[in-house]
Amino acid sequence: MSRLCAGDRVALVSPAGPAPASRIAAGAQVLRSWGLEVTAPVVRPWSLPYLAGSDEARAAEFVSAWCSDVAAVFSVRGGYGCLRMTDLVPWKDLPPRVFVGSSDVTVLHAELNAVGQPTVFGPMPGTSDFVDDPLAQARLREVLFAGTRSWTAGTPVVAGTARGVLTGGNAALLAASVGGPRWAPPAPGAIALLEDIGEEPYRLDRILTQLLRAGWFEPVSGIVLGSWTDCGDVSAVLADRLSGLGVPILGDFGFGHCAGSWSLPLGVSAELDASAARLTLL
C-alpha cells in the first residue's frame, strides 16, 4: 500500500451521511497539520436528512475526487448511504489511491478490495472518533506515513495462526451486502476483521447467523474482533456463533468505534497469531 508524505493533496468526500461543517473543518485542520493539502466536500442538504445528498451526487463527488490529482481520499463519516451508491461507481476504472474510512464505508472497502485496491479501515475526519481522539489520530498517521506492519493487542479467544488477505469491517454492513448483485464472499484463506456499534446481542446474533448461512465465513482462516460499543455483553453470542468455525480468533483488538482505535489495512496479506495476540502484514 502506498504511503503519504508531507505536501500530498488529499480529498474529503461524503459518501454516506452528512457531517457538521465545523467538524469537517476541524478534521481537515488535523490533516493539514500533518503537512497535507486538503480539499473538503460540499455540504448538500437533501430531502432525506440522513444522507449527504442524492445517491447520484454522492457517487459523482466520490468519483470526481478519486480521479482528481490526489494521493488519498478520506470519507468524512459513515452513518448510512454507501450501499445505495455502489452501483453508480466504475470501480474497475478508478486509479490507485489511498482510501480511509470505516463503519458504513465498509461496503466501499469491499468494492475497492475486489478490484485490487488496498484500503485503510480507520477513523474519519468528520467524526469525534478522529477530531477528539489524539491517539486514534496518531495511529492513523503512523499507518499512512510510516506504514505500520505489526500490531500486538487484544486477547486470544481461540489459539492458532492463520495467513490470508485482511477483509471485513462493520459486521452489520457485511450482512446487509449479502445476497446483493455485487456481493462476493471473502477470498480463500482470508482473515476477517469484525466490529460493530449499537447492536444488542440478539441483533448481533442475527447478523452473524446471516453471514454464517450465506457462507461468508467458509473461506475464512482466522478472525480478529474489534470493538462492540453500545452492544452490551456480546461475549456469549460471539463464542456461540464463531468458536465452532475452528479457526484462530483474537478478541478485543481495539479497532472500530472505540477510543484510541487502531487503523488497519484491508485487501493486503497478513499473518494472525492469535496465541501471541499479534497481527503482522506479510
Side-chain angles (χ1 to χ4, degrees), residues 106-107 109-110 113 121 166-171 174 191-194 216 266:
T106 291
V107 296
H109 287 290
N113 295 165
F121 192 89
L166 296 176
T167 191
N170 182 267
L174 295 170
I191 296 172
L193 308 180
L194 297 174
W216 192 87
L266 296 174

Side-chain angles (χ1 to χ4, degrees), residues 15-208:
S22 60
R23 188 164 289 164
I24 294 175
Q29 185 55 42
V30 172
L31 298 179
R32 291 189 180 101
S33 74
W34 297 354
L36 300 173
E37 298 181 21
V38 181
T39 301
V42 175
V43 177
R44 298 177 300 267
W46 198 51
S47 57
L48 298 177
Y50 52 82
L51 296 175
S54 69
D55 298 341
E56 293 76 12
R58 288 179 287 111
E61 177 189 70
F62 181 86
V63 173
S64 176
W66 196 284
C67 294
S68 65
D69 183 23
V70 296
V73 176
F74 292 73
S75 291
V76 297
R77 64 157 293 179
Y80 171 72
C82 291
L83 193 62
R84 292 180 44 147
M85 57 166 269
T86 54
D87 58 343
L88 301 176
V89 176
W91 299 102
K92 293 181 180 179
D93 299 331
L94 299 180
R97 296 285 185 265
V98 174
F99 178 65
V100 179
S102 56
S103 197
D104 188 71
V105 182
T106 291
V107 296
L108 305 188
H109 287 290
E111 295 283 358
L112 290 163
N113 295 165
V115 296
Q117 295 228 31
T119 57
V120 176
F121 192 89
M124 298 170 284
T127 68
S128 61
D129 289 343
F130 178 86
V131 173
D132 300 325
D133 193 332
L135 179 56
Q137 293 173 19
R139 287 175 166 172
L140 175 59
R141 183 179 184 180
E142 185 177 3
V143 167
L144 296 178
F145 285 77
T148 311
R149 300 196 62 81
S150 185
W151 298 260
T152 300
T155 304
V157 177
V158 177
T161 61
R163 287 191 172 196
V165 174
L166 296 176
T167 191
N170 182 267
L173 268 297
L174 295 170
S177 302
V178 166
R182 306 182 62 84
W183 176 78
I191 296 172
L193 308 180
L194 297 174
E195 64 86 35
D196 220 315
I197 183 172
E199 301 288 356
E200 294 183 31
Y202 79 92
R203 293 169 61 178
L204 180 58
D205 187 316
R206 182 194 67 210
I207 288 166
L208 295 176

Side-chain angles (χ1 to χ4, degrees), residues 153 158 160-164 166 191-193 221-225 247-251 253 270-282:
V158 177
T161 61
R163 287 191 172 196
L166 296 176
I191 296 172
L193 308 180
S221 66
I223 299 173
V224 180
L225 302 172
V247 301
I249 301 177
L250 180 57
F253 198 73
E271 179 180 68
L272 167 64
D273 187 338
S275 305
R278 185 168 56 247
L279 184 67
T280 305
L281 302 187
L282 299 175

